[in-house]
Amino acid sequence: MDNSPNDMLAQRMQRLSLIVSLTAAGLMLVGWSMLLIYQAPVIDAATYDHPLTQGWPRQLALTGIVALALLPAARVLLALTSYALKRRFIDAGVALVVLVELLIGMLSRGL
Amino acid sequence: MLGAILGLGGGIFLVPVLTLLFDFSVRVAVGTSLVAVIATSAGVAAMSSDERGADIPLALRLEIATAAGAVVGGFVAGVVSARTLSLLFSLVVLGTAAYTATKGSGDSPKTLFDDAYRPRRWGLGFGVSGLAGIISGLLGVGGGFIKVPAMYAIMGVPLGVATATSNFMVGITAAASVFVYLGRGDIHPFIVAPTALGVYGGAVAGSWLLPHLKVVWLRWTLVVLMVAIGIQMVTRGFGN
């Protein structure tokens, strides 16, 4: 496979992955840390319904998780736009198919 | 770290650990594992450079089959018993280990990274990718333990490129089914968050380490780990 036109795409993907993953990690870390500060047990079935695990610490951690879960779709979208702009229509079509499959998975039960 | 080095999402280690050591249900372990797989992929991608990056066109082509399989697997997992999942997991892992051990060195590339390769046997590659996707949705793994041997031993892709490409793919594969588990309530933020954070840090470190390793070490490390995990899951499956 000819990878030379992918160098710029790879760099953009690296930047996108770095920004989104660090943001998601930060959100998860803050949400989880608030739970630890109150010294509630983390790995415990009873914790699921504890008041401290509801509210904004939980929402913060969940937001980080969702942001991380959306990153792969963002990377595929980046590939799609990059290939389309470079007129690599076959590669853009392949990326579009993968993106549609991802969206079907996301929209079918969750998002 | 192991996931990043071997081109795996890490789910193949995490699901057994979460079920065997922490006694979580298989579905909660699978949901947690899917997020961790995405974290591994993100960590590797954040550290990747042009010289040791993924073959993105190859990844996207194979991902057509894998992502479709993952969506199907995510739905089917809701109706399959925990015992069946454990035994299926072990069967796939042990079969892949046997193939990698016996077939993986013949005409496969001998260097980690090489610009002169051309992927071959696309039909078989697509078939294995589809299977990896179904397994991913069913078992909460990224499917890298199938994809890496398939790309390396079947399609003739250098092992370093195969692991980087697999790391790119496993994130997409996991994302195709993770929202199914989220919608079903199988993802608990205070279990997932520390797991994903630890996996992300390990993936960053593993990505830095990969170019310093030899092909034969990676191949046999992969085989040994898969055999150990397969045996553990067989034991678990018959114990349910």
Side-chain angles (χ1 to χ4, degrees):
Chain A
M1 305 297 289
D2 179 9
N3 275 331
S4 52
N6 290 316
D7 289 352
M8 197 172 293
L9 175 60
Q11 286 170 10
R12 286 181 183 149
M13 282 207 181
Q14 183 185 11
R15 273 200 294 271
L16 174 68
S17 298
L18 195 59
I19 291 167
V20 174
S21 61
L22 286 177
T23 303
L27 289 169
M28 284 190 276
L29 187 61
V30 171
W32 186 51
S33 296
M34 294 311 298
L35 183 69
L36 289 181
I37 286 171
Y38 288 102
Q39 297 183 350
V42 177
I43 303 177
D44 187 321
T47 305
Y48 302 160
D49 296 324
H50 193 285
L52 281 172
T53 66
Q54 308 304 317
W56 70 266
R58 183 180 185 277
Q59 294 308 314
L60 213 55
L62 196 57
T63 302
I65 290 166
V66 172
L68 193 63
L70 289 173
L71 175 59
R75 290 163 75 186
V76 175
L77 182 61
L78 184 61
L80 168 61
T81 52
S82 178
Y83 290 141
L85 288 172
K86 286 185 168 61
R87 296 179 175 275
R88 290 175 62 173
F89 295 121
I90 293 176
D91 289 331
V94 169
L96 180 62
V97 171
V98 173
L99 189 62
V100 167
E101 287 176 335
L102 267 177
L103 289 174
I104 290 172
M106 286 178 192
L107 296 173
S108 58
R109 274 285 205 112
L111 211 58
Chain B
M1 184 188 294
L2 280 174
I5 289 171
L6 299 171
L8 317 177
I12 193 166
F13 312 126
L14 261 179
V15 172
V17 164
L18 290 172
T19 53
L20 296 171
L21 286 184
F22 292 98
D23 209 27
F24 287 119
S25 72
V26 172
R27 289 203 177 85
V28 169
V30 167
T32 304
S33 171
L34 285 172
V35 179
V37 166
I38 297 171
T40 300
S41 179
V44 171
M47 288 289 291
S48 70
S49 67
D50 297 338
E51 297 80 35
R52 49 184 178 162
D55 185 336
I56 295 172
L58 171 64
L60 289 173
R61 280 160 173 77
L62 293 178
E63 196 61 31
I64 290 175
T66 313
V71 174
V72 170
F75 280 108
V76 171
V79 296
V80 173
S81 71
R83 180 180 196 164
T84 304
L85 287 180
S86 296
L87 292 175
L88 177 61
F89 190 99
S90 56
L91 189 68
V92 169
V93 169
L94 291 171
T96 308
Y99 184 84
T100 304
T102 56
K103 301 283 186 190
S105 65
D107 57 351
S108 302
K110 300 294 187 289
T111 56
L112 278 179
F113 298 98
D114 179 2
D115 285 338
Y117 71 94
R118 285 293 178 268
R120 55 178 188 266
R121 300 189 198 121
W122 279 93
L124 197 51
F126 265 114
V128 173
S129 294
L131 175 64
I134 292 172
I135 290 167
S136 170
L138 271 176
L139 304 175
V141 298
F145 62 96
I146 299 174
K147 294 174 192 174
V148 172
M151 281 189 277
Y152 171 61
I154 295 174
M155 298 186 73
V157 178
L159 190 53
V161 176
T163 58
T165 304
S166 173
N167 274 312
F168 177 83
M169 293 175 69
V170 295
I172 300 171
T173 309
S177 52
V178 72
F179 287 99
V180 177
Y181 284 83
L182 192 64
R184 262 201 311 250
D186 289 327
I187 290 179
H188 299 279
F190 293 117
I191 298 171
V192 173
T195 308
L197 287 167
V199 164
Y200 180 71
V204 169
S207 182
W208 172 83
L209 203 56
L210 177 62
H212 305 285
L213 303 174
K214 293 188 189 313
V215 174
V216 65
W217 298 348
L218 293 183
R219 184 165 146 252
W220 285 107
T221 302
L222 192 62
V223 170
V224 167
L225 278 169
M226 286 193 290
V227 168
I229 289 165
I231 292 170
Q232 291 274 10
M233 293 305 284
V234 166
T235 308
R236 174 83 174 184
F238 283 117
N240 282 338

